[in-house]
Amino acid sequence: MSRSTATVTASARHAQGTSIYGVEAIDCDVHVAVPSMNALVPYLDDYWRESVTTRGLERHSLNITGQPANAPVFARPDWRPAEGAPGTDLGALSKHLDAFGTKFAVANCMYGAQVLHHEDMAAALCGAVNEWIAREWLDREPRLRASIVLPIQNPKNCVEEIERRAGDKRFVQVLVPVMGEMTLGRRYYWPIYEACERHGLAVGIHAGSSYRYAPTSVGWTSYLFEDYVAQSAAFENQLLSFVAEGVFAKFPALKVVLMESGFAWLPPFLWRANKTWRGVRAETPWVKRSPGEIVREHVRITLQPVDEPPNREQLERTIEQIGSDSVLLFSTDFPHWHFDGLAALPEGLSPALVKKILLENPVETYSRLRDESAPKEIRQ
Amino acid sequence: MGRHVVAAVGEIAEGERKLVTLEGREIGVFNVKGEFYALLNKCPHSGAELCRGMVIGLAQSDEPGEYRLTRPGEFLRCPWHGWEFDIRTGQSWFDPKRVRTRAYKATIEPGSELMKGPYVAETFPVQVEENYVVVDV
Amino acid sequence: MNINVKPKSESRAQPEQKLSVVDCDIHPATKSASELFPFMAKRWQEHAVTYGSHVRQGLSEGLAHPRMTPDVARLDAWPEDGSTPGSDPEFMRKQHLDANGVELGILIPLGRSGSHQRNLDYGAALCSAVNDWQISKFCDFDKRFRASITVTQEDAPTAVAEINKRAKERRFVQVLLPPRSQEPLGRRRYWPIYEAAVANKLPIGLHLGGMGGHPSTGSGMPSYYIEEHTSMVQTMQALIASMVIEGVFEKFPELQIVLIEGGFTWEPALRWRLDKHWKRFKSEVPHLKRAPSEYVIEHFRFTTQPIDEPEDPRDMRHIVDWIGVERLMFSTDYPHWDYDDPRYALNHLGLSEAEKRKIFSGNAKGFYGLQ
């Protein structure tokens, strides 16, 4: 199911700066994967470097449960490198950006350091991952931007890591998995949002769980398929947490990006949240606008996976029902498998909407993309 | 359309209300801090008997974790879905422009100039020097 | 608790409720725990008094997210004697069945449920008592009431025995299970219950709630009631996914499910999502012979309350078309606060008269085999 594209070659498209869609494209979710802890060792301090050796930590894959690298959804066959796990090869990623003519791509690294219980080990490893991303990905591929992998176990460590990275404008957001120890809107996490707002970093929430609890309110699911489907429900829960806890009231400039969440669930979710809010408003009186209004202003969602309905009219309606054309952000979710060939964009979207999704919405969402070369002091 | 006596001023104490039927419409008459307001007893949302709801203040906040109960006794909470209405204007709090309930003008009138209404039809001593609550329907 | 206004209005000047209604979600209540005692062995009466409820949450009897109205109820639904809404069948008959043209009302007992109890034997005693009590207090009182068989789902053999015992009583129209169970309800430990339901030609009703011991989200417990209330929708989504993906409907092709009080506008998106990702996970679940959405369409129905209210009402019409009018069955949730009134609740759906008749009564009569 591949679209017909212009006959311009990939490198020529790259030179022009336009994507295969004839418009500049910013891919808001591509994955890079840590091949093994040995890759991180150069970026650890003496204590942790020795721990790796003495404890045999390098024998731990730190693969997050529910995201096995070889499962089809996580590894499109033609996006696998010749060697190594999907997402570990810079060449494959660069080729991918060439194929689409992508201007920028935001790299997300889902790594099990965010799941460990030891806060400081998590902080050390996340710090190493972020340094590794900067040196071995961002330095080598100028089209790449990235999310700061946060040691979410302890917000104070998160803030320190944010301060460490904030000067590097190629980091445009922070990254946390959608299911962790607490609902993300809670005040416990607010130091993170304060730092993000101050530095113009988006809060990136990606599908994935640390499995501190069963992934659903009905208990422990049996199959990875079930877990994958359940991610959208987790995003719904977190969205309402952000709204109800007043995160956007407290941090009015904050943007939250949902990644690999799907989006077809959004309109009915907002209808229900709005309806309930009207009657229970007094419990959270700092929520002064409807949840729908708040979400449309502050929340963005990457395009993949498009949980497409059987017919195009249903998809068009669903997108209309979102009530804003500013919400969707283009993504390919490389190397995850949600479409074949270059068919990342659903058919039949208007050119205006396509341009919003590909370019305008990402630029508006990631303020640091706009001023990537400006010194921090005059960035505003 | 007409003006109807619904109660003697002293009958509805501050914070209290009275439900009456005028020209086929059920109306709740409320005493809010000594002033009288009348609302149609039908919530614009789903037809609940709005005037049977709780009279409340308005919970407001400038910051998560901060709670201020303002304007005590000035709001009515629909007995079904909990929508909050400003008794004086009938406006819903969450969406004042688009959602409001029908408000009727209620004034205090001296006894001698009034049309006879349902109130007077009951056997109730009428005193001309008393003030009456009159509702325009 | 009813607000005292003078004078008390006798009748409401409201539009006549012309359509006859089958209400698929009415909540009966007990005035006190002892109301169940006539239906419990002495040993369990004593247990109830001495030890009481023992559940998987921090409060033994209350809701850990207190609701916004007393006893979760409409303010005007309190009987004269001040006992809790739903506990007075005469009051319920007048205020709801008669006033709203309810031809048949299906009882969904929630309070004092045995299905949450960690002590399974106590739970079984409570379930049995609640089942007897529904018939005695409500169904015998007014022939418009129908009842639901409550069971201890965590103890499948006992649940099966209760189903088999009750099935002969035709006024029980379904087996009631809580969506929030210890394990997702698609798991095989619950399959004997489905077998018994099918054998007795009973559908399964899943009314939101339950205390399975898991937090309401995959990231722990939410702080506020708006979150907790909404999380029930995600619970229903997980429930559908579990039952479909585990292959319950391959094993029990005749099993029919109704999801009660979970709403329905979210269903199309879930179906699309299931089908989309099934393509990539097919090899993990080879027992599924058909696309997941086919199982969902064939085996799941929805009660309408709480009806959603999008800014553009035409959106509701689209959803109704995408789900199918036949799969929706009207409910009020009387006497709860988010009650849907039959005079108003469906008016914005853009339904034809024929469609209204189906949703208000025809679909439920067919689904439940009601006369």
Side-chain angles (χ1 to χ4, degrees):
Chain A
M1 188 175 73
S2 60
R3 290 173 61 101
S4 62
T5 59
T7 53
V8 179
T9 62
S11 55
R13 282 199 291 272
H14 181 205
Q16 288 167 22
T18 58
S19 70
I20 57 170
Y21 305 106
V23 167
E24 288 181 329
I26 297 173
D27 187 344
C28 299
D29 186 22
V30 298
H31 287 269
V32 301
V34 176
S36 81
M37 202 180 295
N38 287 326
L40 306 180
V41 162
Y43 308 110
L44 293 171
D45 71 16
D46 291 347
Y47 171 82
W48 289 108
R49 199 176 305 132
E50 184 150 299
S51 295
V52 169
T53 311
T54 58
R55 298 172 67 169
L57 294 180
E58 83 284 0
R59 301 170 68 84
H60 290 263
S61 68
L62 290 189
N63 288 334
I64 295 183
T65 296
Q67 301 183 355
N70 287 328
V73 79
F74 297 113
R76 190 168 119 170
D78 58 333
W79 285 349
R80 299 182 71 129
E83 271 177 38
T88 57
D89 186 290
L90 175 57
L93 179 52
S94 293
K95 245 181 77 183
H96 173 69
L97 302 183
D98 288 344
F100 276 86
T102 306
K103 181 181 168 106
F104 295 122
V106 181
N108 295 305
C109 181
M110 297 298 289
Y111 187 54
Q114 295 188 301
V115 177
L116 297 170
H117 293 281
H118 189 316
E119 294 174 357
D120 301 326
M121 185 187 297
L125 288 173
C126 288
V129 168
N130 293 324
E131 189 65 22
W132 170 78
I133 289 173
R135 300 284 138 261
E136 303 190 28
W137 294 85
L138 302 181
D139 283 353
R140 295 178 190 174
E141 169 54 85
R143 290 171 290 184
L144 279 184
R145 300 295 180 268
S147 303
I148 303 170
V149 179
L150 289 186
I152 192 62
Q153 296 83 342
N154 183 325
K156 186 160 169 292
N157 289 343
C158 294
V159 171
E160 282 174 18
E161 186 62 19
I162 289 170
E163 296 298 342
R164 212 170 280 132
R165 299 293 153 195
D168 183 342
K169 298 298 168 21
R170 299 170 304 175
F171 285 103
V172 299
Q173 87 186 333
V174 302
L175 177 65
V176 300
V178 71
M179 288 188 253
E181 281 185 1
M182 278 190 225
T183 48
L184 283 168
R186 290 187 62 172
R187 293 172 208 164
Y188 177 71
Y189 293 114
W190 286 13
I192 299 173
Y193 308 137
E194 192 278 328
C196 285
E197 190 190 41
R198 189 160 28 86
H199 288 293
L201 290 158
V203 175
I205 306 175
H206 198 284
S209 177
S210 56
Y211 290 98
R212 295 292 197 256
Y213 315 96
T216 74
S217 54
V218 302
W220 289 89
T221 45
S222 307
Y223 298 99
L224 287 138
F225 176 26
E226 254 179 296
D227 277 18
Y228 195 84
V229 170
Q231 301 296 316
S232 59
F235 280 99
E236 293 178 80
N237 298 139
Q238 294 291 25
L239 252 196
L240 199 46
S241 175
F242 273 97
V243 170
E245 298 271 6
V247 172
F248 301 119
K250 183 77 177 166
F251 305 107
L254 199 69
K255 285 278 197 289
V256 167
V257 180
L258 313 184
M259 297 180 280
E260 204 173 332
S261 60
F263 60 84
W265 48 264
L266 182 65
F269 167 77
L270 294 180
W271 301 336
R272 174 59 84 88
N274 287 349
K275 176 182 168 113
T276 306
W277 168 73
R278 291 175 195 143
V280 305
R281 183 208 70 85
E283 193 184 40
T284 53
W286 48 82
V287 181
K288 299 186 194 184
R289 296 181 293 159
S290 73
E293 277 183 61
I294 295 173
V295 166
R296 286 181 198 108
E297 185 183 324
H298 291 277
V299 178
R300 304 291 175 250
I301 306 183
T302 60
L303 189 63
Q304 305 303 332
V306 179
D307 296 331
E308 63 256 317
N311 76 55
R312 201 165 96 189
E313 204 227 325
Q314 287 171 314
L315 180 63
E316 281 170 20
R317 285 266 163 268
T318 300
I319 292 177
E320 256 172 61
Q321 287 168 356
I322 292 175
S324 161
D325 56 6
S326 298
V327 169
L328 295 177
L329 305 178
F330 178 68
S331 74
T332 59
D333 200 19
F334 172 94
H336 298 172
W337 191 4
H338 300 303
F339 57 87
D340 292 320
L342 300 171
L345 266 190
E347 307 240 334
L349 303 181
S350 75
L353 181 58
V354 165
K355 187 166 185 209
K356 290 223 76 176
I357 292 174
L358 289 173
L359 179 66
E360 291 167 1
N361 294 344
V363 167
E364 187 257 344
T365 301
Y366 295 112
S367 62
R368 288 161 69 99
L369 270 182
R370 295 199 284 279
D371 301 298
E372 78 246 27
S373 54
K376 193 168 155 182
E377 296 75 46
I378 64 171
R379 171 183 45 85
Q380 223 39 257
Chain B
M1 297 273 286
R3 301 173 65 242
H4 299 268
V5 172
V6 297
V9 160
E11 185 191 339
I12 309 175
E14 199 173 305
E16 297 297 318
R17 77 195 82 180
K18 182 178 180 182
L19 263 181
V20 296
T21 301
L22 305 176
E23 299 186 16
R25 274 166 274 194
E26 279 193 13
I27 290 171
V29 183
F30 294 80
N31 180 338
V32 180
K33 301 184 164 79
E35 297 176 327
F36 291 89
Y37 301 91
L39 298 173
L40 182 66
N41 187 26
K42 183 177 172 189
C43 184
H45 177 211
S46 290
E49 291 192 71
L50 178 61
C51 298
R52 294 190 182 279
M54 281 196 201
V55 171
I56 58 170
L58 187 70
Q60 293 195 283
S61 169
D62 289 325
E63 167 135 2
E66 185 230 359
Y67 305 82
R68 283 179 293 117
L69 189 68
T70 66
R71 304 179 58 186
E74 297 183 24
F75 282 81
L76 186 56
R77 190 156 190 264
C78 176
W80 288 2
H81 308 107
W83 290 18
E84 301 155 295
F85 291 87
D86 186 331
I87 296 174
R88 293 195 177 97
T89 61
Q91 286 179 327
S92 67
W93 180 250
F94 74 81
D95 191 350
K97 292 188 204 63
R98 282 196 303 170
V99 181
R100 59 192 302 158
T101 189
R102 187 85 190 274
Y104 294 90
K105 189 151 164 286
T107 52
I108 299 179
E109 304 273 333
S112 49
E113 287 141 9
L114 303 171
M115 195 178 104
K116 310 293 180 197
Y119 178 86
V120 176
E122 295 177 10
T123 329
F124 200 97
V126 173
Q127 297 182 14
V128 294
E129 60 266 30
E130 273 185 357
N131 287 339
Y132 286 84
V133 182
V134 178
V135 174
D136 253 305
V137 175
Chain C
M1 174 52 69
N2 287 352
I3 303 297
N4 208 8
V5 297
K6 312 184 287 213
K8 196 161 161 83
S9 106
E10 289 296 335
S11 66
R12 301 174 57 183
Q14 298 283 6
E16 270 267 310
Q17 178 46 33
K18 292 212 168 38
L19 283 172
S20 101
V21 170
V22 174
D23 185 353
C24 297
D25 186 17
I26 298 180
H27 295 295
T30 55
K31 293 187 192 292
S32 67
S34 57
E35 195 170 298
L36 294 179
F37 286 2
F39 311 106
M40 292 165 73
K42 190 115 204 321
R43 175 251 192 285
W44 290 117
Q45 297 179 32
E46 282 162 12
H47 183 98
V49 168
T50 310
Y51 297 103
S53 179
H54 191 48
V55 291
R56 290 178 182 82
Q57 67 158 27
L59 297 178
S60 66
E61 283 171 51
L63 298 161
H65 291 94
R67 298 334 197 213
M68 299 298 287
T69 60
D71 284 16
V72 204
R74 288 166 44 167
L75 231 55
D76 59 349
W78 289 76
E80 300 288 340
D81 64 355
S83 35
T84 194
S87 65
D88 185 329
E90 173 62 49
F91 185 90
M92 184 188 284
R93 160 200 275 171
K94 251 182 67 187
Q95 181 175 63
H96 183 46
L97 301 191
D98 290 345
N100 286 327
V102 176
E103 198 186 321
L104 291 163
I106 300 177
L107 300 169
I108 309 285
L110 294 180
R112 310 203 191 282
S113 170
S115 60
H116 314 318
Q117 295 298 329
R118 290 152 67 175
N119 179 328
L120 292 172
D121 298 325
Y122 179 48
L126 279 175
C127 284
S128 176
V130 163
N131 295 336
D132 284 329
W133 165 84
Q134 289 175 77
I135 298 293
S136 166
K137 178 168 173 179
F138 288 86
C139 297
D140 283 346
F141 173 78
D142 190 309
K143 59 180 166 52
R144 289 172 284 185
F145 286 118
R146 296 291 181 275
S148 307
I149 305 171
T150 67
V151 297
T152 47
Q153 73 283 348
E154 309 303 343
D155 178 2
T158 305
V160 167
E162 182 70 12
I163 294 169
N164 288 332
K165 176 176 161 194
R166 300 297 176 173
K168 304 179 227 13
E169 167 56 75
R170 299 295 296 147
R171 290 175 291 177
F172 284 111
V173 298
Q174 68 192 344
V175 175
L176 189 66
L177 299 179
R180 290 182 174 178
S181 42
Q182 273 189 268
E183 294 185 55
L185 281 175
R187 299 248 319 165
R188 280 176 220 145
R189 58 177 288 178
Y190 301 108
W191 287 19
I193 296 173
Y194 308 135
E195 189 174 15
V198 167
N200 288 290
K201 295 189 168 32
L202 288 165
I204 305 275
L206 294 164
H207 184 286
L208 63 83
M211 277 184 241
H214 302 283
S216 306
T217 86
S219 258
M221 273 299 200
S223 305
Y224 303 111
Y225 176 51
I226 186 175
E227 297 172 83
E228 170 66 11
H229 189 254
T230 308
S231 75
M232 298 292 182
V233 173
Q234 287 77 50
T235 295
M236 293 303 205
Q237 294 166 354
L239 198 43
I240 289 184
S242 172
M243 296 187 84
V244 167
I245 295 172
E246 294 271 6
V248 168
F249 304 108
E250 278 294 323
K251 178 77 176 163
F252 304 107
E254 290 155 28
L255 184 65
Q256 287 293 316
I257 315 277
V258 54
L259 298 186
I260 307 169
E261 206 179 314
F264 58 87
T265 56
W266 45 268
E267 190 259 18
L270 177 66
R271 255 193 286 130
W272 304 336
R273 188 170 170 82
L274 281 165
D275 277 359
K276 163 100 183 180
H277 300 296
W278 176 59
K279 291 196 195 73
R280 306 285 174 236
F281 282 99
K282 250 193 205 167
S283 57
E284 192 196 22
V285 287
H287 52 275
L288 295 183
K289 308 296 180 211
R290 302 154 69 192
S293 62
E294 291 184 40
Y295 298 113
V296 178
I297 291 170
E298 282 181 20
H299 295 276
F300 286 93
R301 314 256 174 141
F302 304 85
T303 62
T304 51
Q305 183 272 349
I307 196 80
D308 277 315
E309 298 165 52
E311 286 126 336
D312 186 343
R314 289 172 299 177
D315 291 337
M316 283 304 284
R317 182 70 231 191
H318 292 134
I319 299 286
V320 168
D321 288 337
W322 298 346
I323 289 182
V325 167
E326 296 69 34
R327 296 175 63 214
L328 300 175
M329 301 190 292
F330 181 74
S331 63
T332 65
D333 192 31
Y334 179 91
H336 287 166
W337 68 277
D338 48 347
Y339 157 91
D340 270 355
D341 192 290
R343 275 168 282 249
Y344 300 99
L346 304 188
N347 292 351
H348 59 292
L349 268 57
L351 299 169
S352 70
E353 286 307 309
E355 289 172 329
K356 278 189 194 159
R357 276 193 294 277
K358 282 189 186 171
I359 295 179
F360 272 119
S361 60
N363 292 341
K365 284 183 178 173
F367 181 78
Y368 285 112
L370 302 169
Q371 271 80 44

